[in-house]
Amino acid sequence: MRTSTRAVALTGTTLALMAGLVACGNSNNSSSSSGSSSAPPANTKVGILLPDTASSPRWVSADPNELRKQCTDNKLTCYIDNANGGATTMQSQAQALINQGVGVLLVTNLDSGSGKAIESLAKQHNVVTIDYDRLTTGGSAAYYVSYDNVKVGEDQGKALTSCPQVTGKSAVGYVDIDGAPTDNNATLFAQGYNSVLSKQTGWTKLAEQTGNWDPATAQTVFTTMLGQHPSLGAVMVANDTMAQSVINVLKSQSLSGKVAVSGQDATAGGLDNVMEGTQCFTIYKPVAGEADVAIKLAGQILSGQKPTAPATIKDPTTGREVPSYLASPTVITKANVAQPVKDGYETAASVCPTPALQKLCTENGIHTP
């Protein structure tokens, strides 16, 4: 993809993060055409590497669309590539972008090993890298732009314990279906929700396994779990895509809506499930909280500035404190299910494609076309 579109209004969270981009100093690196921050940079090219099209719909539409908008607003030429799940493909895309002369490279790694290699290659060519959404452990990125992913997990844990299916119960058996072990975010999510659920009185973890961000894997894993623990009361599943597989299995056993199911990403399907009562909640992470900050940051770097990040995250592999911009997530339940649509994160058409869903949408404050 080689196009850009206009910017959108920033959320309050994004504005707070953007404020952290203001305090920065100028350097004399060759990407700056002059000492003035208002002068256009000599290099306006930014490369963006996205991971796949299967783990979450965000990589297909939400992130690319917002990134393009921000590139136009910041007068940058951005090249967006998706590796479609192939680490070798992403490596080739990175090399091509470096050859094309990008000055900054945003990387959403497929795994930290391949991400580290890409960042090392970029460094050899004086290209500054930014870890986008996922921290590349052991890598060399100059900055990390994401959500506070431990807090995402904590919010998931707290929300699961408040689901109507488990409210008031003195004992709840639950299972975890985690994200891919190659994704540091999945580790942080699990750290967050396990820290909450392990302290919940009467709650017992019956099983935990990775769903690998893959719907088919999640379905197989949960089918086995349910067979071994037919009386389980809750499923801590890491995202909406895998949650759909869990819900499909529950439906096949006439248990849909009777077991508390979590989610994340506020996908159209996830919002539908929340309205239908088959999924208790999802986690809303507006892409503006990442995309707007990352592109603004890239522009400042290309202008020769050295922004001071408002936080740091310790790389668990090297112990390096990585300068970081971390946004805060929002829990979406039936009470505020319309928010992602009102914000423009999802469209009413995608959330309400059938007459039955259109009726649910109207009942829940989502205005259909």
Side-chain angles (χ1 to χ4, degrees):
M1 303 178 189
R2 298 288 187 270
T3 59
S4 303
T5 53
R6 64 181 180 80
V8 295
L10 303 179
T11 64
T13 298
T14 307
L15 286 170
L17 287 171
M18 297 290 267
L21 290 169
V22 175
C24 53
N26 290 329
S27 74
N28 293 320
N29 84 34
S30 59
S31 66
S32 176
S33 61
S34 76
S36 171
S37 60
S38 61
N43 185 351
T44 62
K45 296 180 179 180
V46 178
I48 301 169
L49 299 173
L50 301 180
D52 60 67
T53 58
S55 65
S56 174
R58 66 174 292 187
W59 306 124
V60 179
S61 55
D63 285 77
N65 291 345
E66 184 66 15
L67 288 162
R68 291 188 199 107
K69 290 176 183 178
Q70 290 305 309
C71 287
T72 292
D73 189 57
N74 286 275
K75 297 180 174 59
L76 299 175
T77 304
C78 294
Y79 307 103
I80 303 176
D81 288 317
N82 191 302
N84 290 309
T88 301
T89 298
M90 186 176 284
Q91 180 83 21
S92 298
Q93 290 170 339
Q95 182 66 71
L97 291 170
I98 291 169
N99 291 346
Q100 199 158 348
V102 299
V104 174
L105 190 63
L106 271 62
V107 181
T108 306
N109 69 63
L110 281 162
D111 60 83
S112 285
S114 61
K116 177 182 177 181
I118 288 171
E119 291 176 358
S120 177
L121 176 68
K123 195 170 186 178
Q124 292 170 26
H125 292 81
N126 298 314
V127 175
V128 177
T129 54
I130 298 171
D131 276 335
Y132 183 74
D133 189 67
R134 299 173 181 173
L135 180 69
T136 300
T137 59
S140 55
Y143 296 94
Y144 171 47
V145 177
S146 187
Y147 272 77
D148 184 336
N149 293 310
V150 173
K151 188 177 188 306
V152 169
E154 291 172 347
D155 285 353
Q156 286 179 301
K158 292 173 184 175
L160 190 68
T161 64
S162 299
C163 291
Q165 294 90 344
V166 296
T167 300
K169 291 188 176 181
S170 59
V172 176
Y174 71 96
V175 296
D176 286 356
I177 299 180
D178 303 323
T182 53
D183 179 0
N184 187 62
N185 280 3
T187 300
L188 298 178
F189 300 148
Q191 178 185 328
Y193 53 68
N194 285 330
S195 71
V196 173
L197 298 178
S198 64
K199 299 172 185 175
Q200 189 69 19
T201 302
W203 281 58
T204 302
K205 185 190 292 185
L206 303 173
E208 180 173 11
Q209 195 170 333
T210 177
N212 213 35
W213 296 138
D214 177 61
T217 301
Q219 181 166 323
T220 300
V221 166
F222 182 65
T223 299
T224 300
M225 288 176 168
L226 185 61
Q228 294 173 340
H229 308 285
S231 62
L232 62 82
V235 188
M236 174 49 70
V237 56
N239 77 347
D240 289 353
T241 307
M242 296 192 298
Q244 184 63 65
S245 295
V246 168
I247 292 165
N248 291 343
V249 174
L250 290 171
K251 282 181 179 178
S252 73
Q253 300 299 312
S254 300
L255 292 171
S256 178
K258 299 177 182 178
V259 176
V261 177
S262 72
Q264 183 188 175
D265 286 340
T267 64
L271 297 177
D272 289 341
N273 290 334
V274 169
M275 289 190 294
E276 291 172 343
T278 56
Q279 184 174 320
C280 180
F281 67 89
T282 186
I283 301 293
Y284 178 35
K285 301 182 299 183
V287 293
E290 295 178 312
D292 297 15
V293 173
I295 297 303
K296 178 72 172 179
L297 179 60
Q300 291 184 331
I301 292 168
L302 289 170
S303 294
Q305 301 174 36
K306 293 183 178 179
T308 301
T312 62
I313 290 292
K314 180 177 285 188
D315 184 326
T317 299
T318 65
R320 179 173 73 102
E321 295 289 344
V322 184
S324 303
Y325 296 83
L326 304 175
S328 296
T330 300
V331 177
I332 297 294
T333 65
K334 215 170 181 184
N336 61 344
V337 70
Q339 183 177 338
V341 177
K342 290 178 179 177
D343 290 351
Y345 179 79
E346 293 286 358
T347 65
S350 64
V351 177
C352 321
T354 67
L357 285 171
Q358 287 169 9
K359 183 174 183 295
L360 268 179
C361 284
T362 300
E363 293 171 355
N364 286 277
I366 299 175
H367 302 293
T368 58

